[in-house]
Amino acid sequence: QVGNYKRTVKRIDDGHRLCNDLMNCIHERARIEKVYAQQLTEWAKRWKQLVEKGPQYGTVERAWCAFMSEAEKVSELHLEVKGSLMNEDFEKIKNWQKEAFHKQMMGGFKETKEAEDGFRKAQKPWAKKLKEVEAAKKAYHAACKEEKLAMSRETNSKADPALNPEQLKKLQDKVERSKQDVLKTKEKYEKSLKELDNATPQYMENMEQVFEQCQQFEEKRLRFFREVLLEVQKHLDLSNVASYKNIYRELEQNIKTADAVEDLRWFRANQGPGMSMNWPQFEEWSADLNRTLSRREKKKASDGVTLTGINQTGDQVSQPNKHSSSLSVQSNTVQSVQSSYNPFEDEEDTGSTVSEKEDNKIKNVSSYEKNQNYPTDWSDEESNNPFSSTDANGDTNPFDEDTSPAMEVRVRALYDYEGQEQDELSFKAGKKLTKMENEDEQGWCKGRLDNGQVGLYPANYVEPIQ
């Protein structure tokens, strides 16, 4: 029908837009692959450090770390997928679109204009004849209407005695002329319709020829899209990549090599009865060797310090354990809570990202680390009890229950605090506790939680309950 070829012409413009849509689709997938690869790398790096520093050891530790190695290798593969999507598939569509669609100076595409001109040229003669048919049809129908009206008037006039013969003759002449007009318009209508019918086959051939050209152009686009989608599928399908299969084959082998008996044997030799002993020997007294730092002296340290265990024999026997080492405390880790965290600092000013905050949370996943030093002092009088009346240095234990009840004040925590040492409390913001002693010169208070635990906490982390 006349004008309906515009749907076929519009399909060419839609093909150009679909190329853009497919490129955007591939670009978004490539971005997802990149983000996933980065997240895998960050996850592997963070957890590898935690496992290496954590209490796990031996073959099970290596099996655990194998998951981080798997993540790093899979991350590399997904970065390759991202590169293939952008460098091959995306560019291929972009170049094909540029070759298939040619923009005009006045807007639109050359292919669209050629198709529209072809349809219009093929349709113009037939559309002209169709217009003549419509005009002849209209004239014929008007003549028929006029004939019927004239015949109706003539019939009515015969029953009217008031009309004279002359008037009746005029009505009869009008009917006769109307019949002649009907015959003429009908003949013209039939003639124009016959001419239209004769032109229709050629019209259909010409229109179909232009339509097939559009079909061929669209077929190229559809086949190209199918080809590109198959290539994208190959790039995304890692199951057929040999290196991808090797990653999980190697991971399975590493997990299966974990041996509980071997790990227990290693722990016995390095941390248990099989480890080398440093038996006590006679040692001359020395004032420097017996000097130790109190807890509060540690808190006041602002520069990096190294705390080493005091060997009573004067000899330091090297341990075969790969995890044994002296406890070196740097200035950025041995700081008071006030300097390491400002409770009034704006979160945006810290510059920390979400992943860094999550990293800080995950760092507390283990209660202790491999290189944690354990106290070697012992006594059958429970001298190591943190709640005893005196500590190892002879100072007054801050946990002694000699505080007057009249000084106890109920307070509420303003911020979360995680105790850094055994004699410090840990609590969440909003937690209520009892202050037992006022703030000392270092800014610490002694308090008691509702569960009975007694310890120290920063004074500026709480406020009195009104």
Side-chain angles (χ1 to χ4, degrees), residues 90 104 183 201 260 326 420:
F90 184 90
Q104 297 185 120
L183 293 176
S326 61
Q420 305 297 313

Side-chain angles (χ1 to χ4, degrees), residues 25 75 94 100 159 181 183 244 293-294 298 322 382-383 431:
C25 178
S75 173
K94 184 178 179 181
D181 290 340
L183 293 176
Y244 187 76
L293 294 176
S294 66
K298 297 178 191 175
K322 65 174 182 177
E382 300 181 356
S383 60
K431 181 71 175 178

Side-chain angles (χ1 to χ4, degrees), residues 93-286:
I93 301 172
K94 184 178 179 181
N95 294 332
W96 185 89
Q97 182 190 42
K98 188 176 181 180
E99 294 175 358
F101 299 91
H102 301 84
K103 292 186 177 181
Q104 297 185 120
M105 295 292 294
M106 300 301 292
F109 300 102
K110 178 183 177 182
E111 291 71 23
T112 303
K113 187 175 187 302
E114 289 178 352
E116 189 168 1
D117 291 345
F119 279 118
R120 189 183 294 111
K121 183 179 180 181
Q123 197 174 70
K124 186 175 181 180
W126 191 84
K128 182 178 180 181
K129 293 183 180 299
L130 177 64
K131 190 175 183 181
E132 293 176 357
V133 169
E134 294 292 335
K137 175 185 174 182
K138 184 177 180 181
Y140 170 67
H141 289 176
C144 291
K145 183 179 179 181
E146 187 66 24
E147 179 191 21
K148 184 178 180 180
L149 183 62
M151 292 176 65
S152 177
R153 289 176 178 173
E154 181 190 14
T155 302
N156 294 333
S157 64
K158 290 180 179 181
D160 188 3
L163 290 177
N164 55 35
E166 185 178 355
Q167 291 176 332
L168 185 60
K169 183 73 171 58
K170 288 182 179 179
L171 291 175
Q172 291 176 348
D173 293 341
K174 180 69 173 176
V175 171
E176 190 64 27
R177 287 196 302 270
S178 299
K179 289 181 179 181
Q180 294 296 327
D181 290 340
V182 168
L183 293 176
K184 290 181 181 179
T185 55
K186 182 179 181 181
E187 181 181 358
K188 187 176 181 180
Y189 179 33
E190 290 176 344
K191 181 180 178 181
S192 61
L193 190 60
K194 185 176 181 180
E195 292 177 355
L196 182 67
D197 291 339
N198 293 334
T200 299
Q202 184 65 36
Y203 163 68
M204 293 178 62
E205 182 180 350
N206 295 339
M207 291 292 288
E208 189 168 350
Q209 183 178 359
V210 181
F211 180 77
E212 285 300 322
Q213 294 175 357
C214 296
Q215 286 287 83
Q216 293 175 5
F217 183 83
E218 178 68 4
E219 182 182 9
K220 292 180 181 179
R221 185 191 69 82
L222 294 174
R223 291 185 180 276
F224 173 74
F225 269 39
R226 181 179 182 274
E227 178 185 348
V228 170
L229 293 175
L230 282 175
E231 293 182 3
V232 172
Q233 179 268 333
K234 292 178 181 178
H235 292 149
L236 295 177
D237 187 7
L238 295 178
S239 62
N240 293 326
V241 180
S243 57
Y244 187 76
K245 296 179 180 179
N246 293 335
I247 290 174
Y248 292 98
R249 190 179 298 113
E250 182 180 349
L251 175 62
E252 181 181 6
Q253 293 174 355
N254 288 329
I255 295 175
K256 288 182 177 180
T257 56
D259 189 349
V261 176
E262 177 64 25
D263 290 352
L264 294 174
R265 186 183 298 114
W266 177 91
F267 192 85
R268 178 182 179 85
N270 293 274
Q271 304 288 347
M275 65 185 297
S276 58
M277 295 296 295
N278 185 20
W279 299 107
Q281 298 179 10
F282 179 79
E283 180 183 326
E284 291 292 342
W285 178 87
S286 174

Side-chain angles (χ1 to χ4, degrees), residues 27 149 156 162 167 249 325 332 344 352 412 430 441 449:
H27 182 266
L149 183 62
N156 294 333
Q167 291 176 332
R249 190 179 298 113
S325 62
N332 60 345
F344 302 101
S352 62
R412 180 188 296 106
E441 61 273 10
L449 298 176

Side-chain angles (χ1 to χ4, degrees), residues 275-279 281 311 313-320 324:
M275 65 185 297
S276 58
M277 295 296 295
N278 185 20
W279 299 107
Q281 298 179 10
N311 189 346
T313 63
D315 299 328
Q316 182 64 38
V317 180
S318 63
Q319 300 291 341
S324 61

